[in-house]
mmCIF file of all heavy atoms in Angstrom:
data_model
loop_
_atom_site.group_PDB
_atom_site.id
_atom_site.type_symbol
_atom_site.label_atom_id
_atom_site.label_comp_id
_atom_site.label_asym_id
_atom_site.label_seq_id
_atom_site.Cartn_x
_atom_site.Cartn_y
_atom_site.Cartn_z
ATOM 1 N N GLU A 271 149.600 148.092 45.954
ATOM 2 C CA GLU A 271 149.543 147.856 44.521
ATOM 3 C C GLU A 271 148.276 147.086 44.178
ATOM 4 O O GLU A 271 147.967 146.064 44.798
ATOM 5 C CB GLU A 271 150.774 147.054 44.080
ATOM 6 C CG GLU A 271 150.774 146.617 42.632
ATOM 7 C CD GLU A 271 151.895 145.641 42.323
ATOM 8 O OE1 GLU A 271 152.380 144.964 43.249
ATOM 9 O OE2 GLU A 271 152.295 145.561 41.142
ATOM 10 N N TRP A 272 147.543 147.541 43.180
ATOM 11 C CA TRP A 272 146.384 146.822 42.692
ATOM 12 C C TRP A 272 146.821 145.571 41.937
ATOM 13 O O TRP A 272 147.794 145.595 41.177
ATOM 14 C CB TRP A 272 145.547 147.720 41.774
ATOM 15 C CG TRP A 272 144.523 146.961 40.996
ATOM 16 C CD1 TRP A 272 143.379 146.401 41.467
ATOM 17 C CD2 TRP A 272 144.582 146.670 39.600
ATOM 18 N NE1 TRP A 272 142.704 145.771 40.446
ATOM 19 C CE2 TRP A 272 143.421 145.926 39.297
ATOM 20 C CE3 TRP A 272 145.477 146.965 38.583
ATOM 21 C CZ2 TRP A 272 143.147 145.467 38.013
ATOM 22 C CZ3 TRP A 272 145.200 146.520 37.306
ATOM 23 C CH2 TRP A 272 144.049 145.780 37.031
ATOM 24 N N VAL A 273 146.112 144.468 42.128
ATOM 25 C CA VAL A 273 146.451 143.188 41.522
ATOM 26 C C VAL A 273 145.414 142.762 40.487
ATOM 27 O O VAL A 273 145.757 142.413 39.354
ATOM 28 C CB VAL A 273 146.595 142.094 42.595
ATOM 29 C CG1 VAL A 273 146.807 140.728 41.958
ATOM 30 C CG2 VAL A 273 147.748 142.426 43.536
ATOM 31 N N ALA A 274 144.134 142.747 40.851
ATOM 32 C CA ALA A 274 143.088 142.267 39.959
ATOM 33 C C ALA A 274 141.743 142.736 40.478
ATOM 34 O O ALA A 274 141.581 142.974 41.675
ATOM 35 C CB ALA A 274 143.100 140.739 39.859
ATOM 36 N N TRP A 275 140.758 142.853 39.570
ATOM 37 C CA TRP A 275 139.391 143.105 39.981
ATOM 38 C C TRP A 275 138.434 142.220 39.200
ATOM 39 O O TRP A 275 138.770 141.723 38.123
ATOM 40 C CB TRP A 275 138.976 144.581 39.875
ATOM 41 C CG TRP A 275 139.004 145.244 38.515
ATOM 42 C CD1 TRP A 275 139.933 146.135 38.083
ATOM 43 C CD2 TRP A 275 138.047 145.122 37.453
ATOM 44 N NE1 TRP A 275 139.623 146.572 36.802
ATOM 45 C CE2 TRP A 275 138.460 145.956 36.391
ATOM 46 C CE3 TRP A 275 136.868 144.384 37.281
ATOM 47 C CZ2 TRP A 275 137.762 146.079 35.189
ATOM 48 C CZ3 TRP A 275 136.170 144.500 36.082
ATOM 49 C CH2 TRP A 275 136.615 145.338 35.062
ATOM 50 N N ILE A 276 137.250 142.064 39.748
ATOM 51 C CA ILE A 276 136.195 141.313 39.094
ATOM 52 C C ILE A 276 134.860 141.987 39.360
ATOM 53 O O ILE A 276 134.592 142.432 40.481
ATOM 54 C CB ILE A 276 136.177 139.839 39.553
ATOM 55 C CG1 ILE A 276 135.160 139.032 38.744
ATOM 56 C CG2 ILE A 276 135.911 139.711 41.053
ATOM 57 C CD1 ILE A 276 135.314 137.524 38.911
ATOM 58 N N GLY A 277 134.028 142.071 38.333
ATOM 59 C CA GLY A 277 132.643 142.450 38.508
ATOM 60 C C GLY A 277 131.857 141.215 38.884
ATOM 61 O O GLY A 277 131.765 140.271 38.095
ATOM 62 N N THR A 278 131.297 141.198 40.074
ATOM 63 C CA THR A 278 130.689 139.961 40.565
ATOM 64 C C THR A 278 129.413 139.602 39.821
ATOM 65 O O THR A 278 129.028 138.432 39.792
ATOM 66 C CB THR A 278 130.417 140.045 42.067
ATOM 67 O OG1 THR A 278 129.543 141.147 42.343
ATOM 68 C CG2 THR A 278 131.721 140.224 42.833
ATOM 69 N N LEU A 279 128.751 140.576 39.208
ATOM 70 C CA LEU A 279 127.568 140.298 38.412
ATOM 71 C C LEU A 279 127.926 139.931 36.975
ATOM 72 O O LEU A 279 127.371 138.974 36.420
ATOM 73 C CB LEU A 279 126.621 141.497 38.418
ATOM 74 C CG LEU A 279 126.089 141.912 39.792
ATOM 75 C CD1 LEU A 279 125.177 143.123 39.660
ATOM 76 C CD2 LEU A 279 125.357 140.761 40.460
ATOM 77 N N SER A 280 128.821 140.686 36.378
ATOM 78 C CA SER A 280 129.161 140.484 34.978
ATOM 79 C C SER A 280 130.195 139.395 34.755
ATOM 80 O O SER A 280 130.242 138.787 33.684
ATOM 81 C CB SER A 280 129.675 141.785 34.375
ATOM 82 O OG SER A 280 130.925 142.130 34.942
ATOM 83 N N GLY A 281 131.050 139.180 35.729
ATOM 84 C CA GLY A 281 132.186 138.299 35.551
ATOM 85 C C GLY A 281 133.371 138.934 34.861
ATOM 86 O O GLY A 281 134.391 138.256 34.671
ATOM 87 N N ASN A 282 133.266 140.190 34.479
ATOM 88 C CA ASN A 282 134.398 140.875 33.855
ATOM 89 C C ASN A 282 135.563 140.949 34.823
ATOM 90 O O ASN A 282 135.374 141.138 36.028
ATOM 91 C CB ASN A 282 134.002 142.279 33.420
ATOM 92 C CG ASN A 282 133.018 142.280 32.279
ATOM 93 O OD1 ASN A 282 132.914 141.307 31.538
ATOM 94 N ND2 ASN A 282 132.289 143.384 32.126
ATOM 95 N N THR A 283 136.762 140.827 34.286
ATOM 96 C CA THR A 283 137.969 140.850 35.103
ATOM 97 C C THR A 283 139.031 141.716 34.460
ATOM 98 O O THR A 283 138.998 142.000 33.266
ATOM 99 C CB THR A 283 138.545 139.440 35.298
ATOM 100 O OG1 THR A 283 138.904 138.891 34.020
ATOM 101 C CG2 THR A 283 137.534 138.528 35.973
ATOM 102 N N ASN A 284 139.992 142.114 35.267
ATOM 103 C CA ASN A 284 141.176 142.788 34.775
ATOM 104 C C ASN A 284 142.312 142.511 35.746
ATOM 105 O O ASN A 284 142.080 142.278 36.932
ATOM 106 C CB ASN A 284 140.940 144.288 34.616
ATOM 107 C CG ASN A 284 141.878 144.923 33.613
ATOM 108 O OD1 ASN A 284 142.712 144.255 33.003
ATOM 109 N ND2 ASN A 284 141.750 146.240 33.441
ATOM 110 N N TYR A 285 143.530 142.550 35.214
ATOM 111 C CA TYR A 285 144.707 142.179 35.979
ATOM 112 C C TYR A 285 145.829 143.183 35.775
ATOM 113 O O TYR A 285 145.982 143.758 34.694
ATOM 114 C CB TYR A 285 145.232 140.813 35.548
ATOM 115 C CG TYR A 285 144.257 139.686 35.738
ATOM 116 C CD1 TYR A 285 143.355 139.347 34.743
ATOM 117 C CD2 TYR A 285 144.247 138.950 36.915
ATOM 118 C CE1 TYR A 285 142.455 138.309 34.911
ATOM 119 C CE2 TYR A 285 143.351 137.909 37.093
ATOM 120 C CZ TYR A 285 142.459 137.593 36.086
ATOM 121 O OH TYR A 285 141.571 136.558 36.271
ATOM 122 N N ALA A 286 146.620 143.342 36.813
ATOM 123 C CA ALA A 286 147.855 144.085 36.664
ATOM 124 C C ALA A 286 148.815 143.315 35.768
ATOM 125 O O ALA A 286 148.826 142.075 35.751
ATOM 126 C CB ALA A 286 148.497 144.325 38.029
ATOM 127 N N ASP A 287 149.632 144.048 35.017
ATOM 128 C CA ASP A 287 150.568 143.392 34.112
ATOM 129 C C ASP A 287 151.485 142.414 34.839
ATOM 130 O O ASP A 287 151.874 141.384 34.278
ATOM 131 C CB ASP A 287 151.407 144.434 33.383
ATOM 132 C CG ASP A 287 150.617 145.206 32.347
ATOM 133 O OD1 ASP A 287 149.549 144.736 31.923
ATOM 134 O OD2 ASP A 287 151.085 146.297 31.952
ATOM 135 N N SER A 288 151.821 142.709 36.070
ATOM 136 C CA SER A 288 152.760 141.884 36.805
ATOM 137 C C SER A 288 152.238 140.486 37.112
ATOM 138 O O SER A 288 153.034 139.587 37.418
ATOM 139 C CB SER A 288 153.168 142.580 38.105
ATOM 140 O OG SER A 288 152.033 142.828 38.917
ATOM 141 N N VAL A 289 150.921 140.287 37.032
ATOM 142 C CA VAL A 289 150.357 138.985 37.382
ATOM 143 C C VAL A 289 149.593 138.335 36.239
ATOM 144 O O VAL A 289 149.126 137.196 36.394
ATOM 145 C CB VAL A 289 149.447 139.079 38.620
ATOM 146 C CG1 VAL A 289 150.190 139.706 39.791
ATOM 147 C CG2 VAL A 289 148.166 139.851 38.311
ATOM 148 N N LYS A 290 149.465 139.002 35.102
ATOM 149 C CA LYS A 290 148.731 138.434 33.975
ATOM 150 C C LYS A 290 149.332 137.100 33.558
ATOM 151 O O LYS A 290 150.548 136.959 33.444
ATOM 152 C CB LYS A 290 148.742 139.398 32.789
ATOM 153 C CG LYS A 290 147.788 140.562 32.928
ATOM 154 C CD LYS A 290 147.849 141.462 31.700
ATOM 155 C CE LYS A 290 146.897 142.629 31.843
ATOM 156 N NZ LYS A 290 147.007 143.561 30.699
ATOM 157 N N GLY A 291 148.465 136.131 33.334
ATOM 158 C CA GLY A 291 148.899 134.805 32.942
ATOM 159 C C GLY A 291 149.252 133.906 34.092
ATOM 160 O O GLY A 291 149.406 132.692 33.892
ATOM 161 N N ARG A 292 149.389 134.460 35.294
ATOM 162 C CA ARG A 292 149.733 133.658 36.469
ATOM 163 C C ARG A 292 148.609 133.615 37.498
ATOM 164 O O ARG A 292 148.431 132.596 38.169
ATOM 165 C CB ARG A 292 150.997 134.204 37.136
ATOM 166 C CG ARG A 292 152.220 134.179 36.233
ATOM 167 C CD ARG A 292 153.484 134.519 37.009
ATOM 168 N NE ARG A 292 153.430 135.870 37.565
ATOM 169 C CZ ARG A 292 153.530 136.151 38.851
ATOM 170 N NH1 ARG A 292 153.699 135.169 39.744
ATOM 171 N NH2 ARG A 292 153.487 137.411 39.272
ATOM 172 N N PHE A 293 147.895 134.714 37.640
ATOM 173 C CA PHE A 293 146.829 134.812 38.635
ATOM 174 C C PHE A 293 145.473 134.804 37.937
ATOM 175 O O PHE A 293 145.321 135.340 36.829
ATOM 176 C CB PHE A 293 146.940 136.100 39.444
ATOM 177 C CG PHE A 293 148.121 136.186 40.378
ATOM 178 C CD1 PHE A 293 149.145 135.259 40.351
ATOM 179 C CD2 PHE A 293 148.184 137.224 41.290
ATOM 180 C CE1 PHE A 293 150.223 135.351 41.210
ATOM 181 C CE2 PHE A 293 149.253 137.331 42.158
ATOM 182 C CZ PHE A 293 150.277 136.399 42.119
ATOM 183 N N THR A 294 144.483 134.234 38.599
ATOM 184 C CA THR A 294 143.122 134.233 38.100
ATOM 185 C C THR A 294 142.177 134.624 39.225
ATOM 186 O O THR A 294 142.199 134.008 40.299
ATOM 187 C CB THR A 294 142.719 132.856 37.552
ATOM 188 O OG1 THR A 294 143.616 132.462 36.509
ATOM 189 C CG2 THR A 294 141.299 132.905 36.993
ATOM 190 N N ILE A 295 141.361 135.640 38.981
ATOM 191 C CA ILE A 295 140.348 136.033 39.939
ATOM 192 C C ILE A 295 139.013 135.443 39.495
ATOM 193 O O ILE A 295 138.690 135.432 38.305
ATOM 194 C CB ILE A 295 140.276 137.570 40.086
ATOM 195 C CG1 ILE A 295 139.365 137.966 41.251
ATOM 196 C CG2 ILE A 295 139.855 138.241 38.797
ATOM 197 C CD1 ILE A 295 139.460 139.441 41.617
ATOM 198 N N SER A 296 138.251 134.936 40.433
ATOM 199 C CA SER A 296 136.966 134.332 40.127
ATOM 200 C C SER A 296 136.004 134.602 41.272
ATOM 201 O O SER A 296 136.412 135.033 42.352
ATOM 202 C CB SER A 296 137.104 132.828 39.879
ATOM 203 O OG SER A 296 137.604 132.170 41.030
ATOM 204 N N ARG A 297 134.735 134.355 41.024
ATOM 205 C CA ARG A 297 133.746 134.593 42.069
ATOM 206 C C ARG A 297 132.805 133.410 42.201
ATOM 207 O O ARG A 297 132.549 132.675 41.246
ATOM 208 C CB ARG A 297 132.972 135.892 41.823
ATOM 209 C CG ARG A 297 131.689 135.818 40.981
ATOM 210 C CD ARG A 297 131.939 135.598 39.519
ATOM 211 N NE ARG A 297 130.800 136.019 38.709
ATOM 212 C CZ ARG A 297 130.619 135.708 37.444
ATOM 213 N NH1 ARG A 297 131.540 134.974 36.794
ATOM 214 N NH2 ARG A 297 129.549 136.149 36.787
ATOM 215 N N ASP A 298 132.297 133.233 43.405
ATOM 216 C CA ASP A 298 131.236 132.291 43.705
ATOM 217 C C ASP A 298 130.136 133.122 44.346
ATOM 218 O O ASP A 298 130.134 133.351 45.557
ATOM 219 C CB ASP A 298 131.731 131.187 44.638
ATOM 220 C CG ASP A 298 130.670 130.149 44.935
ATOM 221 O OD1 ASP A 298 129.482 130.385 44.645
ATOM 222 O OD2 ASP A 298 131.036 129.082 45.466
ATOM 223 N N ASN A 299 129.213 133.604 43.525
ATOM 224 C CA ASN A 299 128.224 134.553 44.017
ATOM 225 C C ASN A 299 127.295 133.942 45.066
ATOM 226 O O ASN A 299 126.813 134.650 45.950
ATOM 227 C CB ASN A 299 127.409 135.114 42.852
ATOM 228 C CG ASN A 299 128.197 136.085 42.010
ATOM 229 O OD1 ASN A 299 129.274 136.545 42.406
ATOM 230 N ND2 ASN A 299 127.659 136.414 40.844
ATOM 231 N N ALA A 300 127.046 132.644 44.967
ATOM 232 C CA ALA A 300 126.185 131.997 45.947
ATOM 233 C C ALA A 300 126.771 132.072 47.346
ATOM 234 O O ALA A 300 126.037 132.054 48.338
ATOM 235 C CB ALA A 300 125.927 130.549 45.557
#
């Protein structure tokens, strides 16, 4: 099951409905 994705350059994110509001995806590009 897909959970979340992030564009590492743009910072855009999206989440599966089952985890929205509970999970946060983030990146540390360095």
Side-chain angles (χ1 to χ4, degrees):
E271 174 190 24
W272 167 72
V273 174
W275 61 255
I276 186 167
T278 59
L279 299 179
S280 68
N282 292 338
T283 61
N284 204 1
Y285 299 89
D287 288 341
S288 59
V289 305
K290 283 181 180 176
R292 299 189 298 121
F293 291 10
T294 302
I295 189 169
S296 61
R297 90 287 201 194
D298 182 346
N299 287 347

